[in-house]
């Protein structure tokens, strides 16, 4: 929440031209409010102070305001308002807070302004480190009906300053929920704060959910890389799950460094996909992120190349054996090999066979089926299959890939239809 934004909200609301040019006494109807009373000399001095403030002339404004001698409640209100505006000009938060307190001592604060002013007072008390008063002012504003989402985030900041991480996280969660309900976009910084808090709390389910939601709104290659790289550090994630997240990173064009390509290649080799290991190293070299002299990947490529040829050669026999098997485990393994070769239609066939035979991890099979369908161009089918992966870390894999599928669907829908010309 920007300090300048709060200042702008308050600037000019105390000493507008209508007040400064008002007659010394304006008759009021009973019960409407206090009479606006300013002597001619007081009004002249406030006009001079206001002009100096607008001109950015601090010394003149200070001199004029210091000489004010209010004799009525309304004059005291106007003088406090000018002190506030001068403090805004000087960027003096403590003085702003003191001026607001002086305003609250009068009975001339417009009823409609009081709720927001109490909120501003809470913000200023937070800035100067008076967290008890900040909370009290926010509570006061809320009882008066002023409780913007920014106030909830401010409460989170106060809780953080008081080392109350659990309370802070709850306030941030409330703010995000309110923003969603209001149909308003959630700032990226709010997502980042919520993700950081969930990370610190070890709530990896929420970390994944928040990253996925964030990616639906902020979906550059850099955003994908950051989200997946951070999520990959989750404890207890097996290598097959990690592999599918690296595959997603590559699908988004988010492989940005030697480390990305090396880690992906090492993981592919570890999980037994030599052809994929070879392909990712070659892609890294083509992208200029890996070089032939890079020792780790050079050694990986040397070992993977003959294994890849053997892997590909054995596929027809493995597929035939899988078709005759009693359960789907063999078909699942064949599907995974086809998947690693980017032969997605063949992988789809094997995953469907595996699911029909049973005896496999249904969440994994549906997640991989969904990805293979997506990479084959069947986005609707992909979405349906991914929606069937609802357990364990495969549900998170499916969730991240579902975001990617939705983005591809939007891109496809946005493409102009080319109508062939007649003739």
């Amino acid at each position: 929440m920007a300090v300048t934004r709060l200042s702008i909200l308050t600037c000019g609301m105390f000493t507008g031209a209508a007040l400064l040019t008002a007659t010394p006494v304006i008759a009021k109807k009973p019960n409407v409010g206090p009479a606006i009373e300013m002597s001619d000399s007081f009004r002249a001095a406030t006009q001079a102070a206001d002009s100096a403030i607008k001109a950015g002339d601090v010394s003149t404004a200070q001199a004029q305001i210091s000489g004010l001698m209010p004799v009525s409640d309304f004059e005291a209100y106007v003088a406090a308002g000018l002190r506030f505006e001068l403090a805004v000009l000087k960027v003096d938060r403590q003085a702003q807070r003191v001026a607001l307190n002086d305003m609250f001592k009068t009975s001339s604060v417009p009823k409609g302004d009081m709720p927001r002013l109490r909120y501003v007072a809470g913000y200023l008390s937070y800035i100067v480190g008076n967290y008890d008063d900040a909370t009290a002012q926010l509570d006061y504003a809320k009882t008066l009906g002023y409780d913007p989402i920014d106030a909830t985030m401010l409460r989170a900041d106060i809780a953080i300053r008081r080392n109350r991480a659990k309370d802070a996280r709850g306030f941030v969660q409330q703010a995000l929920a309110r923003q969603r309900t209001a149909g308003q976009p959630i700032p990226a910084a709010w997502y980042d704060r919520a993700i950081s808090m969930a990370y610190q709390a070890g709530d990896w389910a929420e970390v994944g959910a928040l990253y996925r939601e964030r990616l639906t709104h902020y979906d550059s290659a850099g955003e994908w890389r950051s989200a997946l790289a951070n999520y990959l550090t989750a404890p207890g994630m097996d290598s097959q799950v990690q592999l599918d997240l690296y595959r997603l990173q590559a699908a988004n064009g988010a492989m940005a460094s030697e480390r990305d390509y090396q880690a992906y290649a090492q993981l592919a080799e570890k999980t037994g996909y030599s052809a994929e290991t070879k392909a990712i190293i070659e892609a890294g070299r083509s992208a200029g992120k890996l070089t032939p002299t890079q020792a780790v990947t050079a050694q990986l490529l040397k070992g993977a190349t003959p294994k890849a040829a053997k892997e590909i050669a054995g596929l027809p026999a493995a597929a035939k054996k899988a078709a005759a098997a009693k359960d789907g485990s063999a078909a699942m393994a064949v599907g995974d090999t086809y998947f690693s070769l980017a032969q997605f239609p063949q992988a789809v066939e094997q995953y469907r066979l595996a699911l029909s035979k049973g005896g496999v991890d249904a969440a994994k099979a549906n997640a991989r089926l969904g990805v293979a369908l997506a990479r084959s161009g069947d986005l609707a089918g992909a979405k349906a299959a991914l929606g069937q992966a609802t357990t364990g870390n495969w549900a998170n894999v499916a969730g991240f890939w579902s975001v990617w599928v939705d983005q591809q669907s939007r891109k496809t829908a946005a493409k102009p239809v080319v109508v062939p010309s007649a003739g």
Side-chain angles (χ1 to χ4, degrees), residues 197-396:
M197 289 177 171
Y199 183 97
Q200 291 172 7
D203 189 343
W204 286 96
E206 185 170 3
V207 170
L210 287 168
Y211 265 130
R212 292 191 291 274
E213 184 180 348
R214 192 185 193 285
L215 287 167
T216 64
H217 304 291
Y218 308 96
D219 63 348
S220 68
E223 297 286 359
W224 272 102
R225 182 177 185 270
S226 177
L228 294 174
N230 287 328
Y231 189 72
L232 277 163
T233 64
M237 191 181 298
D238 69 44
S239 57
Q240 291 285 344
V241 168
Q242 292 176 321
L243 183 62
D244 278 17
L245 294 176
Y246 273 111
R247 288 166 168 169
L248 178 55
Q249 186 174 332
N252 277 287
M255 303 291 289
S257 68
E258 173 186 304
R259 180 181 177 184
D260 290 341
Y261 283 98
Q262 180 176 307
Y264 183 1
Q266 288 175 315
L267 191 58
E269 178 64 16
K270 176 182 176 181
T271 47
Y273 304 121
S274 299
E276 187 170 10
T277 303
K278 181 174 181 290
I280 196 62
I281 292 172
E282 290 172 347
R285 290 181 177 181
S286 178
K289 303 301 181 182
L290 297 176
T291 65
T293 58
Q294 205 273 333
V296 173
T297 51
Q299 187 64 31
L300 281 174
L301 183 61
K302 181 179 179 180
T305 300
K307 292 180 184 178
K310 184 177 180 180
E311 188 175 78
I312 294 168
L315 265 176
K320 185 176 180 179
K321 184 177 179 180
K326 292 182 179 180
D327 65 29
S329 57
M332 187 73 195
V334 173
D336 287 345
T337 301
Y338 275 124
F339 192 111
S340 72
L341 295 168
Q343 295 182 22
F344 300 115
Q346 295 90 330
V348 166
E349 181 181 352
Q350 293 298 319
Y351 290 139
R352 284 177 170 159
L353 177 60
L355 285 165
S356 69
K357 285 177 173 288
V360 297
D361 182 339
K364 175 182 176 181
N366 277 301
R368 289 255 166 102
L369 171 61
V371 177
L373 285 166
R375 301 308 303 270
S376 299
D378 182 359
L379 298 178
K383 189 75 173 179
L386 291 168
Q388 296 299 309
T390 59
T391 59
N393 274 324
W394 288 106
N396 292 313

Side-chain angles (χ1 to χ4, degrees), residues 74-92:
F74 185 75
E75 286 185 351
Y77 162 69
V78 172
L82 284 168
R83 288 196 296 275
F84 181 90
E85 292 192 37
L86 177 61
V88 169
L89 185 62
K90 295 167 67 176
V91 198
D92 185 339

Side-chain angles (χ1 to χ4, degrees), residues 134-158:
T135 301
Q137 295 298 330
L138 293 176
D139 288 345
Y140 198 160
K142 187 174 182 179
T143 64
L144 296 176
Y146 195 80
D147 186 33
I149 296 177
D150 280 352
T152 306
M153 292 298 287
L154 184 53
R155 290 177 189 274
D157 286 338
I158 292 169

